[in-house]
Amino acid sequence: MGAPDTICALASGPPPSAIAVVRVSGPAVRNVCAQLLASGLPEPRRAVLTRIQDLRGAEVDEGLVLFSPAPHSYTGEDTLELYLHGGPAVIAHALDALTAVHGVRLAEPGEFTRRAFEAGKLDLTEAEGVADLIEAETLAQKSQALRQVSGGLSNIYNAWRDDLTGLLALVEVMVDFPDEGDVGSGAAAPVREGVARLMIDVEAALGDGGIGERIRDGFRIAIIGAPNAGKSTLLNRLAGREAAIVTARPGTTRDVIEIRRVLGGQVVWIADTAGLRETEDEIEAEGIRRARMTADDADLCIQLVDASDPVSPPPLPYPPPKGIRVVNKADLSGPEGIAPADFIISAKEGAGLETLEAGLAARIAALAGSVESPVITRARHREKLGRGLAALASARTALDQDLGFELVAEDLRLAIREMRAIIGEIGVEDILGAVFSRFCIGK
Ligand SMILES: Nc1nc2c(ncn2[C@@H]2O[C@H](COP(=O)(O)OP(=O)(O)O)[C@@H](O)[C@H]2O)c(=O)[nH]1
Ligand SMILES: [Mg+2]
């Protein structure tokens, strides 16, 4: 295997900006310094002000540079950072000058972090945390990502892996020396206890209501109700724009329309859905099927009722706290005509909207606060942890039914594999591309 390419990229935001940070990492960094910096190779980890030029000697800019020699850098390789004036022409000239040096090319998205992962600077959950931190929009997303970057999840998964490895060692002794001492139910007891204890912890992590994923990806609120109840009007109000088409004609909304906003300190997706009614129309029927799916999947479901509609609303299956009964078109009806509701609004005129928003925000905030530090922040973790739990359950069955320690050992090995896959110790090739390609370039 030859030396890896040296990569470079703009690491700061799009120009123009006050300062642009260009990052270079790899074995050619020392050449870059020798050929492009008037200062030559800067003293390690010291900001140095220098003229930067291209290979023909034309000035690129004057700015600070920072050299971090391997292995004490983000990527574990020799790394150079250039702090330039943040104009598009400066950045373009700098990247041209860098890539003209032998062995230097532009970086792929996430390639710096991928190198950090491959150098063992970060495990996979920490690298995922880096991506989440860069994309974090709410404080809740930020603190969850930061905890993940600093090993908050790795510590838990590592501890489970280590516990499992300890149990496996006990079981392997019993496989290897079945006739020695008091092997049998007595010797199996600590294994049985260990498996039971781990199952409780893993079940608790899996039973978190998906809060970690919701904080990261957004909570979900569905608006459901009869045609013409004013669902689309309410969505537009909550969006602050005309996201959905509003007409007096029932059955206008056929697909699920979602808007994204911050509510109660959390990212929230609010979905407008097709009105629930019996219909012969194939497209509308599909819309209604999607409406039910969206509602099933939602954390909160606004069940919208038209105060002026004498027809009784369709069955609304979600009890509180998920189901929130909202009566709309209060402007068309005297207070005496209004059925009991959690909120009474006029989506068209805006009455009661602030109270409704505050109520939704409080419910979302309560949901988000219901789990202190979620262990699972992505579907990837949930899937693997679920498989780990299944392997533990199988180990318990093998112990209970005395099916032999070989089987127990095999199940424990499976569970260990799942933990190691979560932190990226094994089986990562297929997912690495997926994880890192979603990073921005320069990270
Ligand atoms: N008077 C009154 N009309 C409303 C109110 N909300 C919606 N509408 C009207 O009811 C009709 C149906 O609204 P729309 O939002 O399309 O209902 P959807 O079918 O539930 O999405 C439209 O003509 C709206 O202008 C309201 O609060 N008061
Ligand atoms: Mg509609």
Side-chain angles (χ1 to χ4, degrees):
M1 216 172 75
D5 290 343
T6 294
I7 52 175
C8 69
L10 175 67
S12 53
S17 59
I19 294 170
V21 181
V22 169
R23 200 182 215 184
V24 196
S25 177
V29 158
R30 286 165 195 265
N31 270 345
V32 165
C33 294
Q35 293 178 45
L36 304 189
L37 304 184
S39 65
L41 187 69
E43 200 184 326
R45 288 180 293 284
R46 278 273 158 118
V48 174
L49 181 65
T50 180
R51 193 181 116 107
I52 299 147
Q53 64 210 15
D54 66 19
L55 287 180
R56 286 187 299 274
E59 179 164 17
V60 173
D61 195 4
E62 191 176 67
L64 288 177
V65 297
L66 183 66
F67 169 57
S68 306
H72 303 294
S73 68
Y74 181 69
T75 56
E77 301 174 321
D78 281 346
T79 300
L80 180 71
E81 281 172 17
L82 308 170
Y83 299 84
L84 308 170
H85 294 96
V90 176
I91 295 164
H93 194 177
L95 292 176
D96 276 351
L98 287 166
T99 50
V101 175
H102 182 72
V104 182
R105 64 163 168 83
L106 291 174
E108 306 282 340
E111 202 172 1
F112 290 92
T113 306
R114 183 171 183 149
R115 288 188 177 193
F117 169 78
E118 278 160 3
K121 297 268 171 184
L122 299 165
D123 72 20
L124 194 54
T125 61
E126 289 163 348
E128 287 170 337
V130 171
D132 291 350
L133 191 55
I134 289 169
E135 283 181 15
E137 184 184 349
T138 63
L139 277 176
Q141 289 174 326
K142 181 182 87 78
S143 64
Q144 177 163 293
L146 206 50
R147 177 170 156 257
Q148 194 166 330
V149 170
S150 46
L153 300 196
S154 321
N155 292 343
I156 295 169
Y157 292 118
N158 278 325
W160 285 341
R161 178 206 54 198
D162 292 347
D163 286 355
L164 282 163
T165 309
L167 293 175
L168 178 61
L170 290 178
V171 173
E172 278 172 341
V173 168
M174 294 188 266
V175 172
D176 292 344
F177 306 102
D179 303 327
E180 273 187 28
D182 61 281
V183 179
S185 59
V191 178
R192 201 185 302 268
E193 276 162 32
V195 167
R197 211 177 37 241
L198 271 167
M199 283 183 73
I200 291 171
D201 289 350
V202 172
E203 271 167 356
L206 285 166
D208 62 0
I211 297 302
E213 291 123 300
R214 291 305 210 211
I215 289 174
R216 175 174 178 271
D217 302 329
F219 287 80
R220 303 198 163 263
I221 302 178
I223 307 175
I224 62 167
N228 252 7
K231 300 178 295 300
S232 298
T233 310
L234 175 58
L235 179 88
N236 291 345
R237 278 278 176 193
L238 293 170
R241 64 187 166 87
E242 302 297 307
I245 300 172
V246 171
T247 71
R249 221 174 86 192
T252 301
T253 308
R254 281 150 171 240
D255 210 344
V256 175
I257 296 174
E258 287 187 312
I259 61 122
R260 182 176 188 278
R261 59 168 289 187
V262 173
L263 205 58
Q266 301 295 335
V267 170
V268 174
W269 292 91
I270 306 175
D272 178 23
T273 62
L276 304 174
R277 66 169 173 183
E278 294 300 322
T279 178
E280 299 286 303
D281 182 314
E282 224 176 287
I283 300 175
E284 192 184 355
E286 174 60 18
I288 292 172
R289 196 183 67 79
R290 290 182 189 190
R292 291 190 194 280
M293 265 171 46
T294 306
D296 279 345
D297 207 34
D299 302 293
L300 300 178
C301 191
I302 298 177
Q303 302 157 328
L304 201 64
V305 180
D306 183 341
S308 68
D309 187 355
V311 184
S312 61
L316 302 169
Y318 306 104
K322 173 167 174 174
I324 301 171
R325 199 177 151 85
V326 179
V327 170
N328 187 31
K329 307 196 187 180
D331 55 297
L332 295 183
S333 162
E336 65 288 346
I338 291 179
D342 298 314
F343 298 93
I344 297 168
I345 61 169
S346 167
K348 193 169 180 177
E349 296 182 353
L353 254 302
E354 268 181 35
T355 316
L356 173 62
E357 281 197 22
L360 293 174
R363 283 166 168 78
I364 292 290
L367 273 176
S370 63
V371 177
E372 201 176 334
S373 309
V375 173
I376 297 171
T377 60
R378 295 188 179 220
R380 189 182 77 79
H381 309 160
R382 185 169 296 281
E383 184 202 323
K384 302 221 176 304
L385 205 53
R387 286 213 293 259
L389 181 63
L392 280 168
S394 168
R396 187 181 57 185
T397 307
L399 285 164
D400 287 349
Q401 301 180 359
D402 224 355
L403 302 179
F405 288 117
E406 286 89 351
L407 275 183
V408 180
E410 196 45 42
D411 288 328
L412 292 178
R413 275 186 214 109
L414 283 175
I416 290 170
R417 283 175 60 113
E418 299 300 335
M419 302 298 165
R420 296 184 66 201
I422 293 174
I423 48 183
E425 281 182 348
I426 51 159
V428 287
E429 272 321 307
D430 48 335
I431 55 155
L432 277 190
V435 169
F436 289 110
S437 63
R438 294 186 49 221
F439 273 66
C440 46
I441 290 185
K443 192 68 211 179

